[in-house]
């Protein structure tokens, strides 16, 4: 089948463009008689060199006007001209103005989540100046900077001239001419958008010298009033064909991944060892539910506390180099940090050299924050609110979140605080049943705040980051002003091995739990077998993830109070109360006396009994006969057969594959498109995609493979085994694998993509099928996806074409997709 060139295309509509120009003219009118409007447009006219007086008009609004709702266009960088016949045309079309997250309503994360769709293409913000290139009639190439073109004495115009020189240079290297490029861009009705990065001309913060200098193509826009832009793949292709440098981009399938990725990069401030300002994210958006999708960009800029961390890093390097550190922002805390850093550098002479090689930066920061019990976010909040509403003013809405394992003394400390101050304690162990436990836990906390408790204590282990993330995220939704403090039972000590630390904790907590006996809602130590209780406790110890204030979610804590699990609860109580008093002096009146604290702890150790008993696996209501409960537990454990695995596969994100199919089929002839369109229209494209590794049906033929993946599944499940969750239906990631999409192959019954597994050898992955593939869809329900195997077998032996009834289409551009190896459960189980 002949390969056709693929690119998005639409021609200009004279009426539509005329309407746009009329709107712009009206906005540009000033003085008496001009219509009243909230914005003004600046029109500048340029004569194109080398023509007999052809002019182009540039239209620009003030930056702040782009936030207004009724502009005639949001294109930043827009040039129009009139053809010889007097028809108005768009010559250059920049991107629609895009905003930072949370800068306008549309870029609030909640709206981004609701009203955008992938694939999301992420590019780092390049650091030069923007250049637009397009083709005018008579093969005349037009090169512009944001708002001007040609040789004028001002800087902006000279950008365009330098850009033009780079275009000449790259065309010459390819043996092509300006006319060639002009013709091609005009044929596509497109503007090439590139970043001019050339330090010999103008220095920017980031260095672009030697081979790095040049024009970095980052987009191709259709010259239309509405914003429409090429996918990254095709931008790269064009860049290759015309000698531009390329801007790397990453694809993320869904908005959660985008957000997690950006927040992760913000954490370190660097990505791929490059200092970057932020990312531009390209995707599609709609104005609301049911509205059409259109191309849309937004920005993510690194902000505080990351800029403060950067400042700390630079200041530390200055200290190491014997220079005086210079900094203006975050002065007080940076002074304090540097005192700490100097101490560390003096105590270990090797630290400085490592730090200069970018090692130990986070550890240094972490050490300081930990020593101070502060978080970056907490510092910024404190700084922002100094003089009003800061921590000094906190009087209510404080949530204390334990991070602990079983028997650390959470309930003892919590109940003591309740007795001393009347604060609410929400015990996770009192929440019955296993459905939606987390939501109900958060619900009860919010209710306690609503009921007027100034402090609420979340009595749960929260020993894993995911629990803390969920808890903090949910609380932030219901009580946005909450000050959240971690009460961290520290499980590791500097200079002591993890094993030794755990052993000490094990001794203390086991002693406590076994002498507590049945006096607990879920862990009835006298009734259950000792091994069972030890097993549950060990699970928590193994899974324990310490608070790390420099990673999500722990950076969201406003403060962290460290406790020692092996210390008496009396001592821990005093630590909590005195630290809270220091952090939030208005939260409660005077410090309780030592006698008060002695007394409450003694009475709790003597008399405290939890309100109800329950077992984790029981869904029945209150029942105090714990022996019966325990029997029920054992029965439940025995009867709950794990669901069977149907097959193991490499699960792939849906949107990137759909978009690859779409961009490849879009410009094919009708014949080639036919089966693809049929699948689309009859909704027979698979809702999700995967490469099968092994199916249960082949397990006898390949017992080793089947066993191996089953073992991986069992071990992954036991790693997330949590006494509080029913994990039998979880599908943990067993491995990751990158998958290359090579070609689409189809007949009248099934369409499939031939795939190549990039990490197969290294990770011991593969498929028991003849060819690794992704079934796209089948013509009807009666055709099973496994028919892909048959068609691929026939394709291998007989090839494609009329004679075989099998067709193929090569996938261009080396499309690599991140896949996730998973076990898929049988549906009917
Ligand atoms: P789980 O709810 O099982 O995760 O435990 P927890 O962290 O809530 O611990 P809890 O406060 O229930 O303490 C465990 C047992 O140790 C209880 O029986 C307490 O009475 C007892 N205990 C707590 N602190 C101390 C202490 O300082 N000394 C002694 N001797 N016993 C303590
Ligand atoms: Mg407890």
């Amino acid at each position: 089948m002949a390969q056709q060139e693929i690119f998005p295309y639409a021609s200009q509509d004279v009426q539509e463009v005329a309407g746009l120009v009329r709107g712009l003219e009206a906005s540009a009118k000033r003085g008496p008689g001009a219509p009243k409007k909230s914005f003004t447009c600046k029109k500048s006219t340029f004569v194109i060199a080398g023509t007999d007086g052809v002019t182009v008009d540039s239209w620009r609004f003030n930056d702040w006007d782009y936030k207004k709702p009724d502009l005639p266009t949001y294109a930043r960088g827009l040039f129009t001209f009139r053809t010889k016949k007097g028809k108005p045309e768009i010559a250059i079309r920049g991107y629609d103005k895009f905003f930072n997250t949370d800068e306008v309503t549309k870029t609030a994360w909640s709206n981004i989540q609701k009203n955008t769709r992938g694939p999301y293409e992420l590019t780092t913000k390049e650091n030069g100046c923007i250049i637009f290139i397009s083709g005018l009639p008579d093969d005349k190439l037009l090169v512009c900077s944001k708002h001007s073109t040609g040789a004028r004495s001002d800087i902006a115009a000279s950008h365009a001239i330098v850009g033009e020189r780079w275009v000449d240079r790259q065309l010459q290297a390819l043996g092509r001419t300006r006319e060639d490029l002009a013709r091609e861009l005009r044929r596509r009705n497109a503007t090439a958008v590139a970043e001019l990065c050339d330090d010999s001309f103008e220095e920017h913060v980031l260095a672009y010298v030697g081979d790095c200098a040049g024009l970095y193509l980052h987009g191709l826009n259709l010259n239309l009033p509405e914003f429409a832009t090429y996918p990254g793949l095709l931008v790269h292709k064009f860049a290759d064909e015309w000698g531009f440098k390329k801007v790397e981009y990453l694809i993320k399938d869904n908005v959660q991944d985008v957000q997690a990725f950006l927040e992760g990069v913000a954490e370190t401030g660097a990505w791929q060892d490059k200092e970057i300002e932020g990312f531009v994210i390209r995707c599609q958006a709609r104005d609301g539910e049911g509205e059409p999708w259109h191309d849309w960009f937004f920005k993510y800029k690194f902000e505080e506390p990351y800029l403060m961390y950067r400042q700390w890093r630079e200041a530390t390097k200055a200290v190491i180099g014997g220079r005086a550190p210079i900094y203006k922002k975050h002065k007080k805390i940076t002074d304090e940090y540097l005192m700490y850093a100097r101490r560390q550098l003096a105590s270990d002479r090797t630290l400085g050299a490592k730090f200069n090689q970018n090692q130990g930066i986070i550890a240094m920061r972490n050490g300081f924050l930990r020593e101070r019990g502060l978080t970056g976010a907490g510092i910024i909040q404190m700084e922002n609110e100094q003089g009003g509403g800061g921590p000094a003013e906190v009087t209510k809405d404080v949530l204390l979140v334990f991070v602990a394992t079983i028997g650390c003394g959470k309930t003892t400390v919590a109940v003591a605080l309740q007795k001393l101050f009347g604060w609410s304690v929400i015990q996770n162990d009192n929440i019955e049943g296993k459905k939606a436990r987390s939501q109900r836990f958060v619900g009860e906390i919010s209710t306690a705040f609503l009921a007027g408790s100034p402090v609420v204590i979340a009595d749960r282990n929260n020993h894993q980051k995911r629990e803390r993330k969920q808890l903090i995220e949910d609380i932030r939704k219901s009580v946005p002003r909450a000050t959240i403090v971690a009460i961290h039972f520290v499980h590791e000590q500097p200079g002591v091995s993890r094993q030794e630390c755990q052993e000490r904790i094990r001794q203390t907590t086991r002693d406590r739990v076994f002498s507590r006996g049945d006096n607990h809602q879920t862990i009835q130590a006298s009734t259950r077998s000792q091994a069972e209780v030890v097993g549950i406790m060990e699970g928590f110890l193994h899974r324990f993830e310490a608070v790390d204030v420099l990673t999500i979610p722990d950076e969201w804590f406003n403060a962290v109070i460290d406790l020692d699990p092996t210390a008496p609860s009396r001592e821990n109580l005093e630590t909590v109360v005195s630290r809270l008093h220091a952090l939030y002096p208005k939260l409660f009146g005077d410090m309780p006396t030592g006698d008060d604290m002695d007394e409450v702890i003694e009475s709790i150790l003597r008399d405290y009994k939890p309100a109800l008993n329950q077992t984790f696996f029981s869904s029945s209501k209150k029942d105090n006969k714990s022996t019966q409960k325990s029997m029920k537990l054992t029965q439940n454990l025995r009867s709950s057969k794990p669901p069977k695995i149907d097959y193991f596969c490499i699960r792939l994100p849906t949107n990137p594959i759909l978009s690859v199919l779409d961009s490849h089929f879009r410009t094919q002839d009708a014949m080639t498109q036919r089966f693809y369109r049929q699948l689309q229209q009859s909704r027979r494209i698979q809702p999700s995609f995967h490469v099968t590794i092994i199916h249960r049906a082949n397990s006898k033929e390949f017992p080793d493979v089947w066993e191996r993946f089953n073992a991986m599944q069992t071990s992954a499940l036991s790693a997330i085994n949590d006494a509080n969750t029913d994990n039998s239906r979880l599908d943990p990631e067993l491995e990751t694998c990158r998958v290359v999409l090579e070609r689409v192959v189809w007949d009248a019954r099934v369409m499939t993509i031939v795939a190549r597994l990039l990490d197969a050898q290294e990770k011991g992955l593969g498929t028991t099928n003849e060819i690794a593939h992704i079934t796209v869809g089948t013509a009807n329900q009666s055709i099973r996806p496994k028919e892909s195997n048959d068609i691929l077998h026939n394709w291998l032996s007989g090839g494609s074409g009329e004679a075989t009834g099998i067709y193929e289409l090569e996938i261009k551009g080396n499309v690599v997709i991140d896949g996730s190896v998973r076990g898929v459960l049988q549906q009917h189980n």
Side-chain angles (χ1 to χ4, degrees):
M1 192 164 304
Q3 275 300 313
Q4 290 193 0
E5 211 174 352
I6 303 163
F7 54 80
Y9 180 80
S11 58
Q12 297 191 30
D13 177 303
V14 182
Q15 294 308 322
E16 205 183 20
V17 177
L20 171 68
V21 174
R22 263 198 310 280
L24 291 165
E25 292 282 7
S27 326
K29 276 216 179 88
R30 287 155 204 262
K36 252 200 151 73
K37 56 201 177 301
S38 63
F39 46 80
T40 0
C41 183
K42 184 166 182 264
K43 174 182 177 183
S44 317
T45 301
F46 301 89
V47 177
I48 307 296
T51 63
D52 46 357
V54 176
T55 59
V56 290
D57 297 323
S58 145
W59 307 92
R60 88 193 270 191
F61 292 91
N62 291 317
D63 275 2
W64 57 87
D65 282 337
Y66 289 98
K67 292 186 185 170
K68 293 178 178 155
D70 45 359
L71 294 199
T73 178
Y74 291 85
R76 211 141 173 276
L78 179 71
F79 292 77
T80 60
F81 72 105
R82 282 187 186 273
T83 62
K84 281 182 190 145
K85 290 183 184 155
K87 270 190 345 192
E89 259 190 44
I90 296 173
I92 294 277
R93 205 297 179 198
Y95 301 130
D96 268 8
K97 164 80 184 165
F98 50 96
F99 295 96
N100 277 312
T101 47
D102 292 324
E103 191 179 348
V104 292
T105 322
K106 243 185 137 173
T107 59
W109 272 114
S110 56
N111 286 331
I112 293 174
Q113 279 155 3
K114 249 192 323 233
N115 289 324
T116 68
R117 70 174 181 186
Y120 296 83
E121 292 180 357
L122 283 68
T123 53
T124 54
K125 280 190 74 214
E126 288 297 329
N127 204 271
C129 70
I130 204 161
I131 293 289
F132 299 113
I133 306 162
S134 71
L136 295 174
D138 304 327
D139 301 339
K140 175 78 196 154
L141 192 73
L142 178 62
V143 181
C144 302
S145 62
K146 200 181 290 163
H147 301 297
S148 77
T149 182
R152 285 180 9 167
S153 55
D154 63 291
I155 291 286
S158 59
H159 278 140
I161 297 292
V162 178
E164 212 164 42
R165 270 186 232 137
W166 274 107
V167 173
D168 287 342
R169 202 182 298 182
Q170 71 195 47
L171 288 172
Q172 208 170 20
L174 295 169
R176 291 177 147 182
T177 62
R178 281 191 190 191
E179 287 72 25
D180 293 337
L181 180 57
R183 207 176 306 120
E184 179 63 17
L185 285 167
R186 194 160 173 79
R187 182 171 84 92
R188 292 171 181 250
N189 187 34
T191 296
V193 190
E195 199 79 0
L196 169 63
C197 300
D198 180 358
D199 278 4
S200 63
F201 162 63
E202 183 178 65
E203 266 189 35
H204 288 273
V205 184
L206 309 173
Y208 291 98
V209 283
D211 283 350
C212 289
L215 287 170
Y216 287 73
L217 187 72
H218 45 70
L220 281 156
N221 296 342
L222 295 188
N223 293 331
L224 301 173
E226 71 274 17
F227 180 41
T229 191
Y230 279 35
L233 201 71
L234 298 180
V235 175
H236 271 196
K237 188 163 173 267
F238 191 88
D240 286 339
E241 283 164 8
W242 293 93
F244 287 94
K245 294 192 181 309
K246 287 182 281 193
V247 174
E248 289 309 318
Y249 66 94
L250 281 171
I251 291 196
K252 298 278 165 197
D253 176 42
N254 64 57
V255 69
Q256 287 77 16
D257 290 352
V258 172
Q259 198 173 354
F261 170 80
L262 293 173
E263 285 166 354
V265 178
E267 173 59 35
T268 56
W271 180 65
Q272 295 190 338
D273 270 349
K274 263 198 332 195
E275 192 88 325
I276 49 172
E277 287 176 61
F279 283 88
V280 177
I281 301 95
R282 299 160 179 236
C283 59
Q284 289 207 313
R286 57 181 180 185
D287 293 331
E289 202 131 348
E291 298 289 326
W293 295 99
H294 53 263
D295 290 341
W296 188 70
F297 292 3
F298 66 97
K299 273 189 282 191
Y300 182 91
K301 234 171 105 176
F302 298 131
E303 281 166 25
E304 298 295 6
Y306 308 104
L307 298 177
M308 176 176 72
Y309 295 159
R310 238 182 242 194
Q311 174 173 307
W312 289 2
R313 186 191 62 203
E314 289 312 309
T316 316
K317 286 188 175 172
V319 168
I320 294 167
R323 288 170 278 125
I326 304 165
Y327 46 88
K328 293 205 186 81
K329 292 174 81 185
H330 316 294
K331 209 164 159 357
K332 187 161 167 285
I333 196 76
T334 306
D335 288 344
E336 289 170 21
Y337 160 81
L338 280 179
M339 255 155 47
Y340 172 88
R342 284 196 172 95
R343 247 193 296 131
Q344 301 299 317
L345 293 168
S347 72
D348 180 350
R349 297 276 165 201
T350 64
L351 281 182
K354 285 191 203 143
F355 199 101
N356 274 336
Q357 287 161 19
N358 291 337
Q359 287 164 14
I361 297 173
I362 295 181
M364 181 78 86
R365 208 156 81 184
N366 236 341
F368 169 67
L369 292 171
R370 201 171 285 144
E371 186 180 89
R372 300 288 309 274
L374 289 169
T375 62
I379 294 170
I380 301 301
Q381 185 196 6
M382 225 184 293
E383 289 181 343
N384 288 344
E385 295 177 350
Q386 245 147 29
E393 302 298 318
V394 169
T395 56
K396 59 177 180 141
D397 293 340
V398 175
L399 178 66
L400 305 185
V401 176
F402 285 118
V403 177
T405 51
I406 291 174
C408 282
K410 299 176 297 291
T411 305
T412 307
V413 171
V415 174
L417 292 168
Q418 182 171 46
K419 285 182 182 255
L420 286 171
F421 303 105
W423 296 337
S424 291
V425 177
I426 306 301
Q427 288 196 45
N428 188 47
D429 287 318
N430 284 346
I431 292 173
E432 294 176 80
K434 60 185 180 188
K435 278 210 184 109
R437 292 179 60 88
S438 304
Q439 287 91 319
R440 289 190 286 147
F441 186 56
V442 171
E444 291 201 16
I445 293 172
S446 316
T447 311
F449 278 124
L450 270 180
S453 185
V455 177
V456 177
I457 303 152
D459 185 1
R460 186 173 80 168
N461 282 309
N462 304 304
H463 67 311
Q464 288 186 297
K465 289 188 178 175
R466 66 179 169 87
E467 293 172 291
R468 308 199 284 269
K469 184 163 188 283
Q470 169 265 325
L471 177 59
I472 301 175
E473 279 174 347
D474 290 355
I475 288 292
R476 285 255 175 264
K477 279 181 213 146
S478 55
V479 191
R481 289 183 51 85
T483 299
I484 308 180
V485 180
I487 310 287
H488 180 205
F489 282 91
V490 177
H491 279 54
E492 267 172 49
Q493 255 179 295
V496 185
S497 73
R498 187 182 160 95
Q499 231 171 356
E500 201 177 319
C501 280
Q502 284 199 345
E503 193 47 42
R504 280 188 212 159
I505 296 169
R506 207 172 262 136
Q507 269 173 16
T508 311
T509 53
R510 278 190 200 173
D511 279 355
R512 288 180 183 170
V513 167
F514 285 109
S515 52
R516 179 172 68 187
D518 281 353
N519 199 3
H520 190 271
Q521 300 95 320
T522 50
I523 301 173
Q524 293 102 18
S526 336
T527 321
R528 291 180 181 224
S529 83
Q530 185 155 339
E532 194 186 336
V533 173
V534 166
I536 296 174
M537 293 180 72
E538 282 298 302
F540 278 86
L541 271 182
H542 283 304
R543 292 187 305 266
F544 183 82
E545 290 173 317
V547 172
D548 173 1
V549 292
L550 281 180
T551 59
I552 287 172
D554 298 333
E555 65 162 35
W556 298 333
F557 285 120
N558 294 80
V560 181
I561 299 176
D562 284 341
L563 300 180
D564 175 359
T566 61
S569 293
R570 164 67 179 79
E571 196 178 296
N572 282 334
L573 172 69
E574 183 161 347
T575 308
V576 173
V577 177
S578 57
R579 288 276 288 127
L580 282 177
H581 195 57
L583 282 165
Y584 313 111
K586 294 194 177 164
L587 187 58
F588 53 87
D590 294 335
M591 275 288 290
T593 64
D595 284 351
D596 293 342
M597 288 190 273
D598 287 347
E599 207 177 297
V600 286
I601 290 288
E602 270 166 35
S603 77
I604 295 166
L605 294 187
R606 199 177 50 230
D607 305 325
Y608 177 74
K609 284 195 172 39
L612 92 144
N613 272 23
Q614 62 163 328
T615 55
F616 286 130
F617 297 88
S618 161
S619 55
S620 67
K621 296 289 166 204
K622 283 182 197 176
D623 175 356
N624 281 320
K625 290 179 195 152
S626 47
T627 329
Q628 274 180 18
K629 284 278 172 184
S630 196
M631 282 168 60
K632 187 161 185 181
L633 165 82
T634 331
Q635 278 166 10
N636 278 350
L637 280 174
R638 283 207 197 105
S639 64
S640 61
K641 273 189 288 171
K644 278 185 178 173
I645 299 276
D646 207 16
Y647 58 93
F648 289 96
C649 71
I650 304 167
R651 187 194 288 170
L652 298 167
T654 314
N655 283 339
I657 294 182
L658 290 178
S659 90
V660 164
L661 287 170
D662 216 60
S663 65
H664 280 77
F665 276 107
R666 195 186 293 173
T667 45
Q668 297 299 317
D669 56 43
M671 220 339 247
T672 314
Q673 287 196 21
R674 204 175 66 192
F675 186 59
Y676 176 63
R677 297 288 170 223
Q678 176 195 327
L679 290 177
Q680 267 187 330
Q681 277 147 21
S682 54
R683 301 194 176 280
R684 291 294 307 158
I685 295 199
Q686 301 263 326
S688 62
F689 299 111
H690 67 262
V691 177
T692 301
I693 293 174
I694 181 167
H695 197 278
R696 169 169 288 276
N698 300 335
S699 60
K700 296 245 157 56
E701 197 181 338
F702 302 94
D704 295 352
V705 181
W706 184 250
E707 278 317 310
R708 200 176 130 234
F709 281 92
N710 266 302
M712 282 162 81
Q713 175 84 1
T714 312
S715 116
L717 278 179
S718 73
I720 53 169
N721 182 28
D722 180 332
N724 267 341
T725 43
D726 165 20
N727 70 16
S728 58
R729 294 224 150 253
L730 294 179
D731 63 338
E733 177 170 88
L734 309 180
E735 199 26 289
T736 57
C737 183
R738 290 169 302 157
V739 175
V740 185
L741 310 186
E742 301 221 301
R743 54 187 62 239
V744 194
V745 177
W746 70 95
D747 60 10
R749 296 169 59 82
V750 56
M751 176 174 280
T752 191
I753 298 175
V754 177
R756 184 156 49 86
L757 312 185
L758 269 192
D759 306 306
Q761 207 143 37
E762 185 188 316
K763 298 188 176 173
L765 298 169
T767 172
T768 56
N769 287 327
E770 191 174 7
I771 298 182
H773 64 264
I774 304 153
T775 301
V776 175
T778 63
N780 63 56
Q781 241 178 339
S782 71
I783 306 172
R784 307 310 308 150
K786 71 173 184 191
E787 226 181 80
S788 285
N789 283 306
D790 304 334
I791 167 182
L792 288 175
H793 181 82
N794 295 339
W795 171 70
L796 268 190
S797 51
S800 59
E802 292 288 318
T804 54
I806 297 176
Y807 301 91
E808 66 182 292
L809 183 61
E810 188 189 338
I811 296 177
K812 297 267 186 197
N814 193 32
V815 181
V816 183
I817 299 200
D818 288 332
S820 173
V821 176
R822 311 268 178 153
V824 177
L825 300 176
Q826 281 182 337
Q827 286 300 319
H828 50 270
N829 198 297

